[in-house]
Amino acid sequence: MKAITVFALVLGGTVFCQGEEAKEAEGPVWKSLFNGKDLSGWTPKFKGYDLGENPKNTFRVEDGVLKVSYDEYEDWGSMFGHLFYESEYSHYKLRVEYRFVGEQVGGGPGWAWRNNGVMIHGQSAESMKKDQDFPLSIEVQLMGGDGKKDRPTANVCTPETHIFFNGKVDTNHCITSSSKTFHGDQWVTVEIEAHGSEQIIHRVNGEVVFEYQYPQKNDGTLLEGGTISLQAESAPIEFRKIELLELPKPEKE
């Protein structure tokens, strides 16, 4: 058996340990979902294409960042795309650092200018229809400013879903958060804290900007968890960090 060396220092009644046993004292560990090198662990699904196809090299990794790029496009052509992570989750914190860059591809709709999203509690990529625009999911909408108008980020949109907000089921497709607007190409950190079907919290640069409960399908079926995916809907964007911290699930009574 391998010997384990442990050193302990007592200061003011607190024990500080060094060694393998000390790992638990360091707290929960964030897992990187993006390795900074390639799309390992991620699978694209584009409208009109089979699962796994990545038309025009839209999703790619360059210079250590995950990009949604349109430099090989002449026209967008309504090619909604999503990049799915390989595992599903229900109780977690998900942290992404993103920035919008460059110009929207020709043919992209006005509402999609500097508009992207992180889809959570989603259906599987395999279950999507070939011509489906969006996965059934809760979208944490990422937005960039135009230098003039207010355009908050970390909003909520609900493709085939609803949320419980302000004391009722809210059937609006998109609901605006309380975040400030981020103009230009600056990096922004969005953190999503999900507690299964009970509660979801959005933070922007550490500040809470949205809280809601009971994510559900249109028929009222609660969403306990599901897939995580990144959007491609005509706005170039970069992600330099995608990290996840699993949270303990509450014990069932």
Side-chain angles (χ1 to χ4, degrees):
M1 181 180 294
K2 180 181 176 182
I4 299 175
T5 303
V6 178
F7 298 94
L9 175 63
V10 180
L11 290 176
T14 302
V15 179
F16 298 87
C17 298
Q18 291 183 333
E20 294 185 18
E21 282 87 347
K23 290 182 179 179
E24 292 185 5
E26 295 173 359
V29 178
W30 287 82
K31 171 186 176 181
S32 179
L33 305 188
F34 167 53
N35 63 18
K37 301 176 181 179
D38 54 38
L39 296 177
S40 295
W42 296 86
T43 303
K45 174 63 183 78
F46 280 81
K47 179 182 180 180
Y49 290 81
D50 291 330
L51 179 63
E53 292 189 72
N54 188 19
K56 305 181 189 297
N57 198 24
T58 308
F59 292 112
R60 66 182 75 164
V61 177
E62 294 176 339
D63 302 321
V65 298
L66 195 162
K67 297 183 178 182
V68 179
S69 181
Y70 292 94
D71 58 2
E72 297 184 17
Y73 284 65
E74 293 184 4
D75 186 82
W76 179 52
S78 297
M79 280 177 47
F80 291 97
H82 294 83
L83 187 66
F84 285 81
Y85 189 63
E86 61 187 353
S87 300
E88 297 189 9
Y89 298 96
S90 61
H91 293 70
Y92 58 89
K93 290 183 179 181
L94 177 67
R95 186 165 59 204
V96 302
E97 292 184 12
Y98 74 92
R99 68 174 179 179
F100 288 98
V101 294
E103 299 299 324
Q104 183 182 24
V105 65
W111 57 261
W113 183 86
R114 295 213 160 195
N115 183 340
N116 198 276
V118 179
M119 323 299 278
I120 65 170
H121 281 33
Q123 70 180 104
S124 68
E126 293 80 4
S127 67
M128 286 188 68
K129 298 177 182 177
K130 191 167 185 176
D131 289 326
Q132 188 172 337
D133 290 343
F134 307 99
L136 183 153
S137 57
I138 302 295
E139 176 187 349
V140 181
Q141 186 186 48
L142 309 179
M143 303 284 269
D146 63 3
K148 299 177 182 179
K149 300 177 183 178
D150 288 338
R151 206 162 184 250
T153 191
N155 311 311
V156 170
C157 293
T158 51
E160 300 185 59
T161 56
H162 298 311
I163 62 172
F164 191 85
F165 179 62
N166 281 342
K168 65 178 181 179
V169 174
D170 196 317
T171 58
N172 288 304
H173 178 57
C174 290
I175 309 170
T176 303
S177 81
S178 64
S179 91
K180 68 178 185 179
T181 301
F182 297 90
H183 302 288
D185 297 353
Q186 60 183 302
W187 289 102
V188 182
T189 300
V190 166
E191 183 179 292
I192 305 154
E193 180 177 336
H195 297 273
S197 61
E198 294 297 316
Q199 184 181 36
I200 298 176
I201 303 168
H202 299 182
R203 295 182 177 88
V204 176
N205 291 347
E207 296 184 4
V208 174
V209 299
F210 211 140
E211 297 182 66
Y212 51 98
Q213 296 78 38
Y214 312 134
Q216 57 193 263
K217 298 180 182 180
N218 285 348
D219 65 5
T221 303
L222 294 179
L223 294 169
E224 182 64 22
T227 57
I228 292 170
S229 61
L230 308 176
Q231 280 191 328
E233 52 182 12
S234 78
I237 191 172
E238 298 179 348
F239 296 88
R240 68 179 179 185
K241 190 174 290 186
I242 308 171
E243 301 174 315
L244 185 136
L245 174 67
E246 289 199 72
L247 301 175
K249 296 180 181 180
E251 296 183 5
K252 294 183 179 180
E253 296 182 358

